[in-house]
Amino acid sequence: MKGKSFRWFLLGVLVLCLTIPTAIFAAGKPIILGVPTSLGFLEGKEGLFCVKMAVDEINAAGGVNVAGKKRPFKVISIDARGAEPGVPVAEVIKAHKKLILENKANFIVFGSFRSECAIAAMDVVGQYKIPMILGTAMSPAMEKKVQTNYDKYKYTFRVCLNAVYLIKYLGGTMAYLNKQFGFDRVFIMNKDVAWARKTGDLMVKLVFDKMGWKVVGRQAYPAGSSDFSAALMKARAKKAQVILPIFDMPQSGILVKQWKSMRVPTLIAGFISPLAGPAAWNSFDKKIDGAINSIFEIGNVPVPKVPKSVEFFNKYKKRYGRPIEAGHSPAPSYEMVYILKEAIERAGTIDGDAVVAELEKTDRMGAIGRIRFNKGHQVIYGQDPNETAMGCMVQWRKPGKRVIVYPPNIAEAKIQLPPGLRPAK
Amino acid sequence: MLIGTLVYGFVNSAILALVAMGFNLTFGISGVANFAYGAVYIFSGFFAWILLNSAGLPYIVCVIGAIVGAGILGILMYYTVILRVKGIALSEVMATFGLGLAIMELFRYFDFVGFRYTLPIFFDGSLSMGEVYIDYQRLIIALIAIALTTFLYFFTRYTKIGLAFRAIAQDERTALTFGIESDRIGALSMAFGSALAAVAAIVILPLGTIAVEGGYEVLINALAVCIVGGLGSTVGILVASVLIGYAQTFTANYLEPHWMILVSLIAIAVILTIKPSGLFGKQKELEERV
């Protein structure tokens, strides 16, 4: 009997010896996701949180199925500080190279914050054939590069909104204001950086000139500006009906407070990053009612018609104990990890070229709506969440609620004019 | 437009004067160019925010707490770091700049990033002067700048500590023979300078949000005003604040706001070329000190 037990014991040990390494082997070598972003900025920080949230969900469900082997994702992030004033592009490129060469990143997700850096980084990822999915940089130049030299730049994709789509949302809102209230005089204020300047230029060329609006003034403010009285006085003097702000810096919330305190009789409609999140109401002393702000990608705002955006919004709040504040990046950052997972699983390999081919075939319903890439590797944004990804415009209303006012497919209410401002017709 | 420019130019000048006052006081007394000044400003803002939102204290207690906290931080910086390198100008600059970086990056590390970090305004509403509207908070900034300048004038002339400050600033060795301990006064000057940074933070930050990178901006503005006015000269600070403040506002209103930063830089370049010690400065070796 003793001998029989011993044999069973030996057999057990043998089975254990065989199964443990198999299990370890099956868990697989991690797939490294390099995240070179700007953690000093809210979009960078919350974007990374969302990447980690998606990675944890995927790993908890067993990981990524690469040709039958389950492999976990592993995130390595670098605070490349690309969004901060004065940080040279070369520093951000170094961060990309470090991730690829030292940390052996298989993919770059979220990518550089500023377009200047992201566009320069396209050469780096092209050189090493590492697919990169962008989550903040917005310049359409990225798509041009992909289309003009596909073989070299095909490794770069973008899930977040680009400047052209932002213009479409802003332009749609301006068309609505013109039709509803007869407004046609605008004053443009933008941050003095590439994406904001370009957005302002394109708004003039593609929207205001075509729609017959008069641009009564335009001013660019350097990063870090905290007094906007000069432009507000000019807007008042030149009888602007709408102020179009384009800012992504923490200090830009001051603009709306000054607009209120200086009682400038205009409507503010554009993008001011600190106004995107639910905390803005209290942060700015409840003085932002009436301001219309762009939410670059839904998910920052839960949209009942896109159930996954509500699910994502609640999941984030549950995990991190507070709601998403950034109006740009979080939901795309979450989605890009799933997009990558699905592409790797379809490709059955983590080889850059094979994954790129599968990324191009992406068709997924996610927190930002339907996700598909165009030929320039940009996710297509539009008006219908069943067909495209979505951004939206919200208006701040008392007592601190963000109401979706555009596009009509997902709008919850119509735009209201702030006290003291009357329709022009 | 002109009236608006004059009004906002005055407020801008008051902001610059408030921001530069603490930096100037510390340098004038102890000769230490405190490059951690911007960090102390940000520290005060975040400290007040923590006391208000995390500890739930009444706002007046938070304000006093932030000012006292900044003062204590100044003393700690003096005794733990500055005292060891005192007299070696380059080491002082490097040590204080490093300290400042450490303080600011600590806040970033502990997740003080975002738009929710704001301080409440003192009074809501705005005042109209014809077509020009100005909010009460900006008026308060101007009033506090005037009040603080007056206070410092009397403090340095009619109080024991104030006179000791001036004695050390004028001649440290002679002051020592009168029993004034220079290290103690140096620490106090750091405390006062830091407390003044806290006062500036408490009144200016409610206009917007508290952001780590704001510390660098404050340091640059303080340096610009002090260099132009003359390091250590209170009158110089006031004159330089008005000059730079109005030059910036006129530039923003009649040229473009993105040229504003050039105003400070051009002013620094011109002053360093023509009169390196500043308009009213007595520091003959300015180039070596800064």
Side-chain angles (χ1 to χ4, degrees):
Chain A
M1 189 64 192
K2 263 186 183 176
K4 204 176 176 183
S5 299
F6 186 68
R7 276 201 298 275
W8 276 113
F9 172 75
L10 278 181
L11 190 66
V13 170
L14 187 68
V15 168
L16 210 64
C17 289
L18 287 171
T19 51
I20 288 174
T22 313
I24 291 168
F25 190 69
K29 198 178 155 198
I31 299 167
I32 310 288
L33 304 182
V35 185
T37 185
S38 216
L39 296 177
F41 275 59
L42 189 63
E43 289 83 355
K45 192 149 197 123
E46 290 191 347
L48 179 61
F49 283 174
C50 290
V51 167
K52 284 182 176 167
M53 189 165 95
V55 163
D56 288 350
E57 283 173 14
I58 290 166
N59 288 347
V64 186
N65 187 349
V66 188
K69 275 181 202 166
K70 287 279 192 180
R71 293 178 62 176
F73 273 138
K74 184 181 171 188
V75 176
I76 298 179
S77 67
I78 288 183
D79 188 1
R81 309 184 80 150
E84 290 171 29
V87 174
V89 172
E91 289 298 313
V92 182
I93 297 302
K94 265 188 216 165
H96 282 74
K97 285 194 172 173
K98 184 177 161 63
L99 283 170
I100 294 169
L101 299 174
E102 280 182 43
N103 302 116
K104 308 288 177 206
N106 304 107
F107 302 95
I108 300 289
V109 292
F110 197 71
S112 308
F113 204 98
R114 264 189 299 154
S115 291
E116 291 94 321
C117 304
I119 288 165
M122 288 174 76
D123 288 87
V124 178
V125 297
Q127 184 188 348
Y128 297 103
K129 300 188 174 186
I130 299 290
M132 168 170 80
I133 309 180
L134 300 174
T136 43
M138 290 177 64
S139 170
M142 170 237 136
E143 294 148 69
K144 265 188 198 164
K145 275 183 99 166
V146 173
Q147 285 178 304
T148 49
N149 193 344
Y150 178 80
D151 288 338
K152 189 174 176 188
Y153 297 120
K154 66 179 179 182
Y155 301 94
T156 303
F157 290 77
R158 175 161 53 205
V159 180
C160 67
L161 192 87
N162 70 5
V164 175
Y165 289 123
L166 173 64
I167 282 153
K168 286 185 180 172
Y169 286 118
L170 292 173
T173 309
M174 296 302 158
Y176 178 87
L177 292 174
N178 180 264
K179 189 179 163 194
Q180 195 72 19
F181 306 111
F183 291 161
D184 59 1
R185 294 173 67 83
V186 65
F187 192 99
I188 302 172
M189 295 167 70
N190 61 269
K191 186 179 170 186
D192 200 6
V193 290
W195 81 268
R197 277 194 304 266
K198 188 75 182 165
T199 305
D201 293 344
L202 291 174
M203 277 301 287
V204 174
K205 192 177 160 190
L206 303 177
V207 177
F208 297 126
D209 284 352
K210 282 190 180 170
M211 283 168 38
W213 282 57
K214 186 166 187 203
V215 180
V216 295
R218 182 172 177 183
Q219 290 212 309
Y221 278 88
S225 298
S226 54
D227 181 11
F228 301 92
S229 56
L232 289 170
M233 281 191 279
K234 282 179 191 170
R236 177 199 288 275
K238 292 183 176 177
K239 302 195 184 316
Q241 293 152 331
V242 178
I243 290 175
L244 169 68
I246 311 163
F247 287 99
D248 66 350
M249 58 195 194
Q251 296 86 347
S252 53
I254 300 170
L255 166 61
V256 185
K257 279 169 83 173
Q258 268 192 302
W259 163 67
K260 275 269 167 182
S261 64
M262 290 174 73
R263 299 180 218 172
V264 184
T266 56
L267 182 68
I268 281 200
F271 178 68
I272 298 178
S273 53
L275 254 61
W281 184 255
N282 288 326
S283 293
F284 298 109
D285 305 317
K286 305 177 177 64
K287 283 185 161 192
I288 54 174
D289 57 300
I292 297 172
N293 205 53
S294 171
I295 303 296
F296 284 12
E297 304 96 8
I298 61 170
N300 161 291
V301 175
V303 179
K305 284 185 183 170
V306 186
K308 285 205 169 181
S309 73
V310 182
E311 190 188 314
F312 165 74
F313 184 84
N314 293 334
K315 242 189 308 198
Y316 182 96
K317 195 174 172 183
K318 192 179 170 193
R319 176 171 169 144
Y320 293 109
R322 59 183 189 224
I324 294 167
E325 291 297 332
H328 181 37
S329 298
S333 310
Y334 176 81
E335 284 301 326
M336 68 177 67
V337 181
Y338 276 98
I339 291 168
L340 190 58
K341 172 192 180 275
E342 290 171 3
I344 294 169
E345 288 181 344
R346 285 196 301 270
T349 171
I350 57 166
D351 172 70
D353 288 300
V355 173
V356 163
E358 291 306 322
L359 278 170
E360 288 173 343
K361 294 176 193 161
T362 297
D363 189 350
R364 167 184 166 77
M365 286 302 292
I368 54 174
R370 189 171 177 183
I371 301 167
R372 288 179 295 174
F373 290 104
N374 66 15
K375 285 187 178 173
H377 289 181
Q378 162 69 46
V379 162
I380 303 161
Y381 281 76
Q383 308 273 320
D384 181 357
N386 293 318
E387 291 301 318
T388 61
M390 296 289 292
C392 68
M393 301 292 290
V394 295
Q395 185 170 34
W396 277 99
R397 301 260 174 94
K398 285 177 180 164
K401 191 172 164 24
R402 294 175 300 169
V403 178
I404 300 171
V405 290
Y406 188 85
N409 272 336
I410 56 169
E412 297 167 323
K414 291 190 170 179
I415 291 172
Q416 287 177 2
L417 296 184
L421 181 63
R422 289 182 182 168
K425 68 172 185 184
Chain B
M1 190 74 177
L2 180 66
I3 297 170
T5 309
L6 292 173
V7 170
Y8 278 91
F10 181 69
V11 174
N12 194 25
S13 306
I15 288 175
L16 288 175
L18 260 182
V19 156
M21 225 172 259
F23 185 90
N24 182 60
L25 184 91
T26 305
F27 187 87
I29 296 162
S30 62
V32 173
N34 179 15
F35 274 66
Y37 188 74
V40 176
Y41 177 92
I42 292 301
F43 165 86
S44 312
F46 279 128
F47 192 51
W49 187 92
I50 292 166
L51 293 178
L52 183 69
N53 294 285
S54 301
L57 297 173
Y59 191 46
I60 184 69
V61 178
C62 304
V63 168
I64 296 166
I67 295 170
V68 172
I72 293 169
L73 179 67
I75 292 175
L76 284 175
M77 284 198 295
Y78 187 84
Y79 280 119
T80 54
V81 179
I82 296 168
L83 192 57
R84 291 162 208 282
V85 292
K86 197 162 179 266
I88 315 165
L90 186 61
S91 301
E92 282 174 9
V93 169
M94 288 177 74
T96 53
F97 192 72
L99 261 176
L101 277 180
I103 292 168
M104 289 196 282
E105 293 307 316
L106 260 181
F107 280 110
R108 204 194 294 275
Y109 179 79
F110 285 113
D111 199 20
F112 283 84
V113 171
F115 311 126
R116 63 198 181 105
Y117 300 102
T118 56
L119 295 176
I121 48 173
F122 291 9
F123 295 105
D124 200 3
S126 58
L127 185 77
S128 73
M129 286 174 266
E131 278 283 286
V132 180
Y133 290 85
I134 185 156
D135 48 300
Y136 291 139
Q137 189 66 28
R138 281 183 167 74
L139 289 176
I140 288 169
I141 289 173
L143 288 175
I144 287 182
I146 294 167
L148 217 54
T149 311
T150 315
F151 165 76
L152 281 178
Y153 178 84
F154 286 105
F155 176 77
T156 51
R157 277 160 181 80
Y158 299 104
T159 67
K160 210 173 167 183
I161 297 176
L163 288 168
F165 277 2
R166 288 177 67 206
I168 289 283
Q170 281 169 15
D171 194 319
E172 189 175 338
R173 289 189 180 188
T174 311
L176 277 167
T177 63
F178 281 89
I180 300 168
E181 197 195 329
S182 66
D183 285 344
R184 189 171 153 265
I185 295 299
L188 278 175
S189 77
M190 275 293 287
F192 267 75
S194 302
L196 286 173
V199 172
I202 295 294
V203 291
I204 296 169
L205 285 173
L207 294 177
T209 48
I210 315 167
V212 169
E213 56 272 19
Y216 300 106
E217 195 194 330
V218 164
L219 179 62
I220 289 169
N221 280 334
L223 276 175
V225 172
C226 290
I227 290 171
V228 172
L231 278 161
S233 163
T234 308
V235 177
I237 294 305
L238 294 176
V239 172
S241 300
V242 171
L243 284 178
I244 296 176
Y246 271 106
Q248 282 183 341
T249 310
F250 270 93
T251 305
N253 285 10
Y254 293 98
L255 293 170
E256 284 290 327
H258 63 256
W259 298 116
M260 277 172 75
I261 187 71
L262 278 183
V263 171
S264 313
L265 299 176
I266 290 171
I268 291 173
V270 169
I271 283 292
L272 286 181
T273 311
I274 299 169
K275 197 170 184 295
S277 54
L279 292 175
F280 294 85
K282 287 173 186 163
Q283 306 292 332
K284 297 295 178 193
E285 294 166 338
L286 183 79
E287 297 99 323
E288 286 172 30
R289 284 204 175 276
V290 182

